[in-house]
Amino acid sequence: MASCRGLSNSFLPRPGFANIGKTEPVRLVPISSTRKQKRDTNASAGGVTPTTMSGWPRQDFPEKFTTEYEQKREEIRQVLQLKGDDDGSESLVLVDAIQRVGLSSYYEQEIDTILRKHYVASCSCMYGYHNLHDVSLFFRLLRQHGHCISADVFNNFKGEDGRYSRNLRQDIIGLVELYEAAQLSFQGEDILDEAASFSSQLLRECLADVDDDLSRMITGKLKYPYHKTIARLTRKDFLQDFEAIKGWRKTLKELALMDLRKGQSVYQGELAQVSTWWNELGLAKTLKLVRNQPLKWYTWSMSILIDDFSLWDYAAIDTLPDYMKMCYQTLLDTTNGMGHDIYKRHGYDPIDSLKLSWGSLCNAYLVEAKWFASRNLPTAAEYLENGKVTTGAYVVLVHLFFLLGLGNGGGIPLTDVSQLVSSVATILRLWDDLGSAQDEHQYGRDGSYIECYRKDHRGLSMAQARDHVIDTIASEWKNLNKECFCLKHFPASYFKRAALNSARIVPLMYGYDEKQRLPVLEKHVKFILFNQTN
């Protein structure tokens, strides 16, 4: 079983807890060398050797750069305010572009104003949008921001037979946007299920008839639709296809590239702190079963929060074997430190809830260990219920819930987000089991949902089992969409985004790029952290 899966994440603090050590660049291991030998459980993630990451200096930007950066931010703000007075689709195109380059957190008020105006206009008529692209973009942006938009708006693109018109095959950009819109479907919205199937089929059919650039763009959109990925991790692909010759498009592209440069400086500094902290703990050297993957788990934490914003029983340490004392001590110190921070910020002590989340995680690991030792595989349902806990998603999101001040009357009860967290954990577990065999050379021998499901359904092929998993992930995304849509309490908005980002990062963490023979995460992290491309 994957009893150690995600364990290294348990020991990573919020960036900024450690002191930056000596300046030493991160060493990137050549891709070819990492493929020549089998990776063991102590291997590093993403081709980065943790022992070399003792520090990275925070880049100081010249005054001219800072001034120009602020000027461009203000220019885009003025464009947004100007477009807010216009009911046309150009304002939606602008909002979409700002989101795709990862800058929406700077303009939340202006974006909200524009979308509210479009929503009010839509209550009385279809606001003059007639083409597939504009209607799809309108639907996606408004539902994404919690406005109640019916999927019936797409009935206008169906023929007398009740099916989407094949004539739409000529509208490639519209089909791409229809596919993007379909990603925000809820359970039971057949019209959006049809839209996703119809648009993806036509787009794949046209790949052979378009030029290389358009083919690459279509393939990228089908693989990583906006709603299910992290904008800042994939914005280089959007910028590559973004025509920005003049006007606000040119300003936005320049601002996005400057923001990327600033972001790289922050991420490198934070990664240096995490690396220094991790190396000083010495857990990777002492506990050989602990996954030595600080870069991978830092990226998860960084992606979740990418939009900005009493004591345990230490006496129990003496009852543990030596190899566990260090691990337990670190867990206590880190969690108590976070609990103290929460108490200072929000005036309540969450330690009981934090202890409960860690206890559940450890118990779930023990269950997996027993299954693995006995080779008595559970049913797929039993495995998944326990596997949702071993992802670590519960632990991470419970800590975040309290860090954002949502507990103890500060916003919403923890139980109100339980289904949302469950969907995130399910998506994470199933994606992990889909990708871990290739990423870690496991090939199902450590137990997985797929192996358990095939045991429950004798005679089922591996391909059929994988299709079932993919369908289950799609279903959980619909549940997650609905839970996020219903979570309208304002203080919970950051938690909602973090939950979505937790699910969005998973395909990058556990996906595998067969063409380039490397984990997908490595490709994106090398760009966002080190400005390297493959």
Side-chain angles (χ1 to χ4, degrees), residues 137-339:
L137 179 59
F138 170 86
F139 174 86
R140 176 169 62 84
L141 289 178
L142 267 70
R143 177 167 284 196
Q144 177 185 305
H145 284 79
H147 296 290
C148 187
I149 298 295
S150 171
D152 290 343
V153 296
F154 296 108
N155 281 327
N156 293 333
F157 302 99
K158 290 187 172 184
E160 295 181 357
D161 59 358
R163 298 180 179 181
Y164 284 96
S165 172
R166 293 281 301 184
N167 292 334
L168 294 173
R169 190 180 192 281
Q170 308 302 320
D171 186 3
I172 293 179
I173 302 303
L175 287 172
V176 168
E177 195 55 54
L178 177 62
Y179 180 77
E180 294 269 22
Q183 306 309 307
L184 285 99
S185 65
F186 301 157
Q187 292 286 2
E189 288 189 312
D190 294 340
I191 188 172
L192 291 182
D193 292 341
E194 295 170 14
S197 177
F198 170 80
S199 57
S200 61
Q201 179 183 342
L202 288 189
L203 287 170
R204 288 189 174 92
E205 289 177 1
C206 76
L207 286 176
D209 302 325
V210 299
D211 59 45
D212 291 343
D213 288 340
L214 187 54
S215 176
R216 174 181 48 77
M217 187 272 286
I218 293 173
T219 302
K221 299 289 188 184
L222 290 174
K223 194 171 184 179
Y224 300 116
Y226 173 79
H227 182 61
K228 295 182 179 178
T229 192
I230 306 291
R232 286 184 184 240
L233 291 180
T234 58
R235 63 177 164 183
K236 70 180 180 70
D237 298 322
F238 175 74
L239 289 172
Q240 186 175 356
D241 300 316
F242 188 51
E243 294 185 4
I245 301 175
K246 61 181 180 179
W248 65 260
R249 288 174 172 78
K250 180 174 183 292
T251 303
L252 182 62
K253 187 169 186 176
E254 292 170 347
L255 176 61
L257 292 173
M258 296 176 77
D259 189 73
L260 174 60
R261 183 178 169 191
K262 286 174 66 69
Q264 285 174 335
S265 174
V266 173
Y267 303 146
Q268 289 166 0
E270 289 184 337
L271 181 57
Q273 294 179 18
V274 169
S275 177
T276 299
W277 174 84
W278 177 248
N279 290 333
E280 288 177 351
L281 285 178
L283 289 177
K285 293 181 179 179
T286 306
L287 305 176
K288 296 301 182 181
L289 290 179
V290 174
R291 296 273 173 106
N292 191 15
Q293 300 178 328
L295 175 61
K296 180 176 182 177
W297 295 112
Y298 165 74
T299 304
W300 187 19
S301 302
M302 176 266 288
S303 300
I304 290 176
L305 295 175
I306 209 160
D307 290 327
D308 304 312
F309 76 117
S310 134
L311 298 180
W312 284 35
D313 185 9
Y314 279 84
I317 293 176
D318 296 332
T319 68
L320 298 173
D322 289 340
Y323 75 93
M324 292 187 65
K325 288 180 179 178
M326 184 181 185
C327 177
Y328 187 54
Q329 178 77 52
T330 302
L331 177 60
L332 292 176
D333 290 344
T334 302
T335 306
N336 281 326
M338 296 182 73

Side-chain angles (χ1 to χ4, degrees), residues 414-478:
L414 187 58
T415 53
D416 284 8
V417 297
S418 59
Q419 183 56 52
L420 181 150
V421 176
S422 176
S423 292
V424 171
T426 301
I427 292 169
L428 203 163
R429 167 51 64 226
L430 294 179
W431 259 112
D432 185 359
D433 286 359
L434 275 178
S436 60
Q438 292 174 307
D439 188 28
E440 300 168 11
H441 300 273
Q442 294 170 346
Y443 300 104
R445 289 191 293 270
D446 72 333
S448 69
Y449 179 81
I450 293 177
E451 189 176 353
C452 295
Y453 188 76
R454 291 185 72 193
K455 187 188 76 121
D456 292 347
H457 301 80
R458 298 293 184 183
L460 202 67
S461 69
M462 177 64 74
Q464 290 173 315
R466 290 178 67 87
D467 286 344
H468 165 75
V469 172
I470 292 171
D471 289 342
T472 304
I473 291 173
S475 178
E476 284 299 328
W477 260 108
K478 293 179 181 180

